[in-house]
Amino acid sequence: MSTAKFITFEGVDGAGKSTHLEWFAQSLRQKGIDLLVTREPGGTPLGERLREILLNQPMHAETEALLMFAARREHVEQVIRPALQRGTWVISDRFSDASFAYQGGGRGVSISKLEQLEQWVHGDLQPDLTLLFDIPIEVARQRLANNASLDRFEQEQGGFFEKVRQAYLARSQKMPSRFALIHAEQSRDEVQQNLQKIIASI
Ligand code: TYD
């Protein structure tokens, strides 16, 4: 059986997860680990087209949830599962926890509907490890303020992000064994020291 690991990065916009993801992936590669970095929504040609729509086109909250999971179905079948089966580690910039946080917490889509979609789309596959970059919303908002162009999610108000943050924390408390909480308001060096410890433990 393959021992390749499936690792996901999560957190509100502005937490800095994408920067840390690059460093984390590079550190694992230096240890000789064969790995693939991917993202959601996206990760496949169809998924990237759906991403374009999801980030720009206003739509009903449940349509948004369904499209997120449709893109995910393609991603799991075309990319994630085949990589893990051939022994390649997979690091994904977001996965289903983001749907529970943004569509569930942020938009108010029913958690039981999201659980049904999760069961349908990847009932037998969960990340081995999820790094949750947690940060006070005011700090995340300040970081985003430097971005020239904000997508449909990034344009939401602080109250939306507070709900997203709380939903992420609730999810991590529900499944503590696969979550590692990272305090993302720390300096880049401090976060990297934490990540180093996590790398040593896996
Ligand atoms: P993000 O990783 O923030 O992309 P970038 O760093 O390029 O801005 O992801 C894009 C957005 O998609 C983000 O605001 C959260 C949202 N999203 C959901 O709402 N639900 C989901 O299931 C996923 C995967 C992402």
Side-chain angles (χ1 to χ4, degrees):
M1 227 192 70
S2 165
T3 53
K5 294 206 183 297
F6 176 30
I7 301 173
T8 57
F9 277 54
E10 298 283 359
V12 296
D13 295 271
K17 75 182 161 46
S18 303
T19 313
H20 292 302
L21 190 154
E22 267 175 46
W23 184 86
F24 187 87
Q26 199 49 35
S27 304
L28 287 178
R29 284 198 179 105
Q30 279 167 4
K31 293 191 182 300
I33 291 171
D34 174 28
L35 70 84
L36 184 150
V37 173
T38 185
R39 69 170 179 181
E40 289 204 350
T44 64
L46 175 62
E48 291 295 328
R49 289 178 73 180
L50 291 172
R51 179 187 178 91
E52 194 53 38
I53 298 170
L54 279 159
L55 265 49
N56 298 298
Q57 166 79 47
M59 63 185 79
H60 189 276
E62 289 190 347
T63 310
E64 194 177 276
L66 287 163
L67 288 182
M68 290 289 179
F69 274 99
R72 183 162 299 129
R73 182 65 180 158
E74 198 69 9
H75 195 205
V76 166
E77 295 313 315
Q78 303 288 341
V79 177
I80 300 175
R81 224 188 278 279
L84 294 173
Q85 274 164 2
R86 62 176 187 267
T88 299
W89 290 35
V90 176
I91 302 185
S92 187
D93 191 342
R94 301 193 187 278
F95 193 60
S96 286
D97 297 317
S99 298
F100 282 86
Y102 282 80
Q103 282 67 53
R107 305 254 194 252
V109 173
S110 123
I111 298 298
S112 79
K113 284 183 180 168
L114 295 173
E115 282 170 349
Q116 285 174 43
L117 289 172
E118 180 187 33
Q119 184 58 34
W120 184 11
V121 167
H122 60 95
D124 55 343
L125 176 77
Q126 280 291 346
D128 296 296
L129 172 67
T130 297
L131 305 189
L132 174 55
F133 289 76
D134 183 55
I135 191 164
I137 296 307
E138 319 79 73
V139 183
R141 303 300 290 159
Q142 276 160 22
R143 289 184 182 175
L144 277 186
N146 300 326
N147 283 14
S149 66
L150 298 179
D151 67 40
R152 208 163 60 81
F153 294 97
E154 292 165 339
Q155 285 167 19
E156 289 287 344
Q157 302 301 311
F160 174 84
F161 287 103
E162 197 54 60
K163 288 189 271 182
V164 171
R165 181 188 189 196
Q166 293 311 323
Y168 264 133
L169 291 172
R171 187 124 167 115
S172 74
Q173 280 154 13
K174 209 167 163 186
M175 306 171 184
S177 60
R178 78 170 161 89
F179 273 89
L181 194 66
I182 313 283
H183 298 292
E185 78 275 30
Q186 299 178 112
S187 71
R188 184 179 295 203
D189 283 357
E190 285 170 315
V191 172
Q192 285 182 357
Q193 280 169 25
N194 285 342
L195 296 182
Q196 198 80 67
K197 284 186 201 145
I198 290 171
I199 289 171
S201 74
I202 56 176

